[in-house]
Each structure stands twice: as C-alpha cells, then as structure tokens.
C-alpha cells in the first residue's frame, strides 16, 4: 500500500502529557522513584504500521497462490475411480499384512512334565495292596494220657480223619487204641522196605513189611508204601475197613480192632481203651 492512503493517514490520538491526580493513583512508589507505565497502543495503530501491512499482504498472496496450485493439480492428476478403489484395497491389504506381522510368532513352550496341565486330573494315589498273610498252622494239641508231643500230633491226625468221615465216637476210640498197640502212636518205617525210609518217619521196625501208625502191610493190599507212610491215609483205610465189619459198634474194642487188624495178639488192644478215650475227649 501507498503511504498516502487514507488508512495510513489515520493516527491514534496520543494520551495527554499531564496526568490528573486520579489517574496517577495506580502508580506504585518504589523508594524515592516512581514507576511510569508504558504507553498503550490500540489495535488499529498496530495494523496501521507499514511493516505489519506488508506482512499481511504477503501472507494473503501466498495462501491464494497455494490454493490455486492445489486446485489445479487436483484437477489434472485425479485418478480414475477404478484406480482409486484398487489403491484403497492395496492400502487396506498392506495394513492387514503389517498388523499380522506385528504379532508375536514365537512358539509356545510345551508344558513340561513337572507342571501338569490345569485340565489333567491327578492320578489317584495307588493304595498298597494288603500283604497276604501266610496261613497260620493250628496250634498243636497239648499232650494228655502220658503221650509225647509227636504221639499227640499223630493221634490228632487219626481223630481229624474220623471226624471228617463222620465216624461215631466209639470208632475214634478204637482207632486210637489200635495205633497205641501197633506203633505206640509213632510213624514207623520198615527195615525190610528201604523205600519206606525215604518218607518222613519217627522210628524203624522190622515186623515183615509192616509200616506206618497201624503197621499195615503193602503186600496185603492196604496201599503203596508211600501212601501208608502218611498218617491221614493210614487212618482213612483203617476206618473204611472197620465200617465193613458187621455189628462192630456192638462189639468190644478188642474184638472190633482184631476184626480189622487180624493180629497174633487179639486181646492186647483192650489195655489201651481208657487212655484212648482220654485222648479222643481232649481232641474233640
């Protein structure tokens, strides 16, 4: 603008040189000096100055020129609608790809055996299997009637077999008295039959081939040497033979025992009847 324009000729009226007493009241006193306030300039006065006017004109011109250039470039270089859509799709795809690459792709560590998974059920505590108790042997019977422990054990074997066979009490007494007479209730082997000594025995006799508690002879058909050396087997075949004697329950002990054994001393069995009854009573 020219300095002779009307806008340039307008001046801001200055403040009067002299201040009244009322206007001087806001002034501060510092020591002996008085602080004089700076003169105030109005907005129109600032805009009326030449440098400010030049700067405003230059700024407006630059803004109008930039706007014109952008508008012209936009008209000349605007891409077709299809190209715009393609560019938009590529931009979106690039953004998605960049987002997928930003994810953490480090492999997830496999759970170790030390830390069980939260869904895994704890295995139940295995209960120790109860130990099978070894079958306890029945207590050995207390000897009675002057017998040793070995003799009492053999008497028990005879009585137990008779009880299982449901032999009457009189038959049990006959069997025990017969064994007392034949072997003194000891399991005999035979010196004539060396095989008999291969089996458990408690004494050795020499009466032909007689073996076992009842001195039964294998040659007479009572059984094998091995079987007759077993107290349970010897007692069973004795009871079976006694049951074959007609009216044995009405006979005396000595006659019933003799009917089975056919001994050279038929009346020797009677002497053992009382002791045999005592043993049977202790075992039943």
């Amino acid at each position: 603008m020219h300095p002779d324009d009307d806008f340039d000729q307008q001046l801001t009226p200055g403040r009067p040189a002299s201040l009244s007493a009322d206007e001087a009241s806001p002034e501060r006193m510092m020591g002996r000096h008085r602080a004089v306030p700076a003169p105030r300039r109005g907005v129109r006065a600032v805009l009326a100055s030449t440098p400010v006017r030049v700067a405003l004109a230059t700024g407006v011109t630059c803004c109008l020129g930039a706007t014109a250039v952008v508008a012209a470039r936009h008209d000349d270089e605007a891409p077709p609608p299809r190209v715009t859509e393609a560019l938009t799709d590529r931009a979106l795809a690039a953004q998605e790809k960049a987002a997928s690459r930003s994810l953490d792709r480090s492999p997830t560590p496999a759970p170790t055996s030390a830390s069980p998974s939260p869904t895994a059920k704890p295995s139940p505590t295995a209960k120790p299997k109860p130990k099978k108790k070894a079958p306890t042997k029945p207590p050995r019977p207390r000897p009675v009637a002057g017998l040793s422990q070995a003799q009492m054990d053999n008497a028990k074997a005879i009585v137990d077999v008779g009880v299982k066979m449901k032999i009457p009490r009189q038959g049990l007494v006959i069997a025990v008295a017969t064994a007392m007479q034949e072997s003194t209730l000891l399991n005999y082997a035979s010196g004539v039959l060396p095989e008999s000594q291969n089996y458990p025995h408690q004494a050795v006799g020499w009466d032909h081939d007689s073996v076992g508690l009842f001195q039964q002879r294998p040659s007479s058909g009572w059984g094998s040497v091995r079987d007759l050396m077993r107290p349970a087997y010897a007692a069973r075949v004795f009871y079976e033979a006694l049951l074959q004697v007609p009216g044995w329950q009405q006979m005396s002990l000595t006659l019933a025992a003799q009917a089975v054994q056919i001994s050279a001393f038929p009346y020797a069995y009677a002497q053992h009847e009382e002791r045999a009854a005592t043993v049977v009573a202790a075992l039943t």
Side-chain angles (χ1 to χ4, degrees), residues 17-279:
S18 62
L19 297 175
S20 63
D22 295 337
E23 293 177 350
S25 61
E27 295 177 356
R28 295 181 181 180
M29 298 295 296
M30 297 182 64
R32 298 177 61 184
H33 301 278
R34 176 180 297 180
V36 179
R40 297 180 181 179
R41 301 179 64 185
V43 175
R44 298 184 62 182
V46 173
L47 294 177
S49 62
T50 302
V52 172
R53 295 172 66 183
V54 172
L56 288 174
T58 304
V60 171
T61 304
C62 292
C63 291
L64 293 176
T67 302
V69 170
V70 170
R73 185 175 182 180
H74 179 72
D75 295 337
D76 297 338
E77 298 180 1
R82 294 184 180 180
V83 176
T84 303
E85 293 179 1
L87 293 176
T88 304
D89 294 341
R90 291 183 62 182
L92 293 176
Q95 291 179 1
E96 293 178 358
K97 188 174 182 180
S100 62
R101 288 181 179 178
S102 63
L103 297 178
D104 185 12
R105 297 183 179 273
S106 59
T108 304
T112 59
S113 59
S115 57
S117 60
T119 58
K121 297 182 179 179
S123 60
T125 305
K127 296 182 179 179
K129 295 182 179 180
K131 295 182 180 179
K132 294 182 179 179
K133 296 182 179 180
T136 56
K137 295 181 179 180
R140 302 177 71 178
R142 182 180 178 183
V144 296
L147 299 179
S148 66
Q149 186 64 58
Q151 290 172 317
M152 196 69 181
D153 291 342
N154 291 331
K156 184 178 186 303
I158 295 172
V159 172
D160 288 346
V161 173
V163 171
K164 289 181 179 178
M165 295 177 68
K166 299 181 179 180
I167 302 298
R169 185 182 183 84
Q170 180 63 17
L172 303 180
V173 174
I174 293 171
V176 173
T178 301
M180 285 181 174
Q181 175 60 31
E182 296 290 348
S183 65
T184 65
L185 281 172
L186 294 177
N187 196 24
Y188 267 80
S190 172
V192 180
L193 294 174
E195 179 189 354
S196 63
Q197 300 179 31
N198 297 332
Y199 307 108
H201 59 279
Q202 297 161 331
V204 178
W206 297 89
D207 184 12
H208 304 289
D209 59 345
S210 301
V211 295
L213 293 176
F214 294 91
Q215 289 293 284
Q216 296 155 331
R217 300 178 65 179
S219 60
S220 300
W222 286 95
S224 65
V225 177
R226 177 187 178 186
D227 291 337
L228 295 175
M229 290 299 297
R230 294 189 294 116
Y233 178 87
R236 183 171 65 81
V237 294
F238 176 85
Y239 287 125
E240 290 175 351
L242 179 64
L243 294 176
Q244 297 299 320
V245 176
W248 65 271
Q249 297 187 48
Q250 287 75 35
M251 295 180 181
S252 63
L253 183 145
T254 188
L255 292 177
Q258 177 61 18
V260 176
Q261 294 296 108
I262 312 174
S263 173
F265 306 95
Y267 300 101
Y269 302 107
Q271 62 181 328
H272 305 289
E273 184 173 1
E274 185 177 352
R275 294 176 62 219
T278 302
V279 172

